[in-house]
Amino acid sequence: MSKFVISRINDLESLMRFWSASPDATIFTHPVVLPILVNQIEWWMAYNGDEPVCLWPICKSGFRNGGHSRFAYYVGPLWSKKYKSQSAHRWFQASGQVYSGFIDQFEKNRLPSEASMAPTLPDIRHFLWLSNSKSEKPRILVNPRYTAVLDLDTFEPENISNSVSTNRRREIQKIQNSRRYTIAEKINTHQAMQLYQSFFSKANILMRDDDYSNLQRLFDLIMLGYGFYAGYRDDTSGELISIAIILFNDSTANLVLNLTHHEYRSTGVGTSTILHAITTSKQHGRKLFDFNGANHPQRAFYKHSFGASPQLYFDLNFTWG
């Protein structure tokens, strides 16, 4: 019989205290940030007696395929430092009991069936075993995914020849030699949305009804101090031609949006925008720059050309019986 009890938690102070101390915390599970990114959040906690052990936020309408934010990643469990620091066999036993308890509660309450494990939680064996067991557990689809993560301690923006590929250096040099393109000091949601619409139209990607409101949420988070933007304008027209939006916690900057106008792809503004975002993140004391996804050959190659290393993580999808 498990010694862990799973129950809902709503107290913001308790949530913040747990999140702040967890080694698995990301900006996407921040108790203030996540409810802005995604509607209808439920927070569930595993307890050992009165001791909080593992927190799992649930997005009630699904978080990626379910139809709201394109900009939420790693929305899944996060553990207390104490429990993750246990000996291997104790951690193995505790994680199995806790994950099983969460799944029982989620199935009982018919909660949405998507989650994404933070890269700090690579052990997904319990989910595989639960899915393959002969008991009446739900089917669990485990999908391996990759992101690209740049170590900012070793990145040298003042000496990019040691950090980025030859092609990226050429693109950056183009912008440095040009007087036509300048860094966009101020960007508003309307300007970003115009670029967003142009990008999606050219790529033949269907836009959703809530895309504008989701983009506005990112700007709201920037205003609250949880992120920043970088971008370039064409001085001849004043048009915004590239943008990157970054959300961050104390250690990691996460690239959640990166767009370049299709007519300016060959100019180097996209690469210079990313470099500006990376440099700003390093200046602000972040240790890592997460490109948040490297699952397409061309896009993965582009992100790794900045010196970013591959990082495995897992998406989970539950099918209730």
Side-chain angles (χ1 to χ4, degrees):
M1 182 176 178
S2 175
K3 62 182 178 181
F4 300 103
V5 175
I6 313 294
S7 61
R8 286 186 62 185
I9 176 174
N10 296 308
D11 179 61
L12 180 59
E13 183 178 349
S14 298
L15 290 169
M16 282 300 306
R17 185 163 54 247
F18 188 91
W19 180 88
S20 298
S22 173
D24 307 312
T26 71
I27 190 61
F28 305 106
T29 51
H30 189 292
V32 173
V33 172
L34 183 57
I36 294 175
L37 276 177
V38 176
N39 292 325
Q40 296 182 297
I41 302 298
E42 284 190 6
W43 301 89
W44 290 78
M45 183 76 82
Y47 294 91
N48 180 6
D50 294 330
E51 180 185 9
V53 172
C54 183
L55 177 65
W56 194 324
I58 287 291
C59 308
K60 291 192 68 176
S61 55
F63 89 92
R64 189 169 301 152
N65 299 324
H68 45 230
S69 182
R70 297 184 190 269
F71 310 121
Y73 299 83
Y74 313 140
V75 181
L78 50 157
W79 286 80
S80 72
K81 183 177 181 179
K82 173 183 174 181
Y83 266 77
K84 283 201 74 178
S85 301
Q86 292 184 117
S87 61
H89 73 283
R90 291 186 182 277
W91 158 251
F92 177 80
Q93 182 182 46
S95 60
Q97 292 176 354
V98 167
Y99 288 149
S100 181
F102 274 123
I103 290 171
D104 286 343
Q105 285 293 332
F106 297 163
E107 183 175 24
K108 177 181 177 181
N109 289 275
R110 282 297 189 263
L111 292 175
S113 54
E114 292 173 292
S116 185
M117 307 294 280
T120 52
L121 292 169
D123 189 351
I124 45 81
R125 289 174 293 173
H126 290 296
F127 298 108
L128 296 173
W129 293 331
L130 284 169
S131 181
N132 293 331
S133 69
K134 295 181 180 180
S135 64
E136 295 181 1
K137 293 289 183 182
R139 179 174 179 269
I140 305 172
L141 178 63
V142 178
N143 185 22
R145 306 282 289 172
Y146 279 89
T147 186
V149 180
L150 180 62
D151 183 349
L152 295 180
D153 283 340
T154 60
F155 187 82
E156 301 176 349
E158 68 282 353
N159 187 15
I160 59 171
S161 62
N162 293 336
S163 303
V164 305
S165 70
T166 301
N167 286 342
R168 300 293 84 77
R169 292 200 300 271
R170 288 171 179 164
E171 291 168 344
I172 292 165
Q173 192 64 48
K174 273 187 181 181
I175 296 301
Q176 292 175 343
N177 293 336
S178 173
R179 296 183 179 181
R180 179 176 174 180
Y181 311 112
T182 56
I183 291 174
E185 299 295 340
K186 292 184 179 181
I187 302 173
N188 60 41
T189 312
H190 177 69
Q191 294 166 342
M193 193 64 192
Q194 287 182 315
L195 180 57
Y196 194 84
Q197 290 171 328
S198 173
F199 178 90
F200 273 62
S201 175
K202 183 65 177 179
N204 292 317
I205 299 174
L206 183 65
M207 293 192 64
R208 301 192 314 224
D209 293 339
D210 60 355
D211 274 340
Y212 187 88
S213 63
N214 284 332
L215 190 59
Q216 181 61 57
R217 293 167 193 249
L218 295 182
F219 278 83
D220 292 343
L221 288 170
I222 290 171
M223 291 295 294
L224 290 171
Y226 295 108
F228 66 92
Y229 54 68
Y232 272 81
R233 295 187 187 280
D234 183 338
D235 278 353
T236 59
S237 64
E239 183 181 9
L240 179 70
I241 56 176
S242 70
I243 187 172
I245 294 182
I246 290 82
L247 299 180
F248 53 72
N249 62 9
D250 288 343
S251 63
T252 304
N254 296 86
L255 178 65
V256 296
L257 179 65
N258 176 31
L259 301 173
T260 299
H261 194 287
H262 63 90
E263 293 180 1
Y264 296 84
R265 291 272 181 87
S266 62
T267 64
V269 293
T271 294
S272 294
T273 298
I274 295 297
L275 179 64
H276 183 42
I278 292 171
T279 303
T280 302
S281 299
K282 183 179 175 74
Q283 291 171 344
H284 288 176
R286 291 349 184 231
K287 301 297 184 183
L288 300 172
F289 188 92
D290 188 341
F291 282 86
N292 281 107
N295 296 290
H296 181 279
Q298 291 179 336
R299 289 193 288 270
F301 177 80
Y302 178 77
K303 294 172 181 181
H304 291 309
S305 69
F306 286 91
S309 299
Q311 174 69 65
L312 178 67
Y313 68 98
F314 296 93
D315 282 349
L316 307 177
N317 189 282
F318 305 95
T319 301
W320 307 132

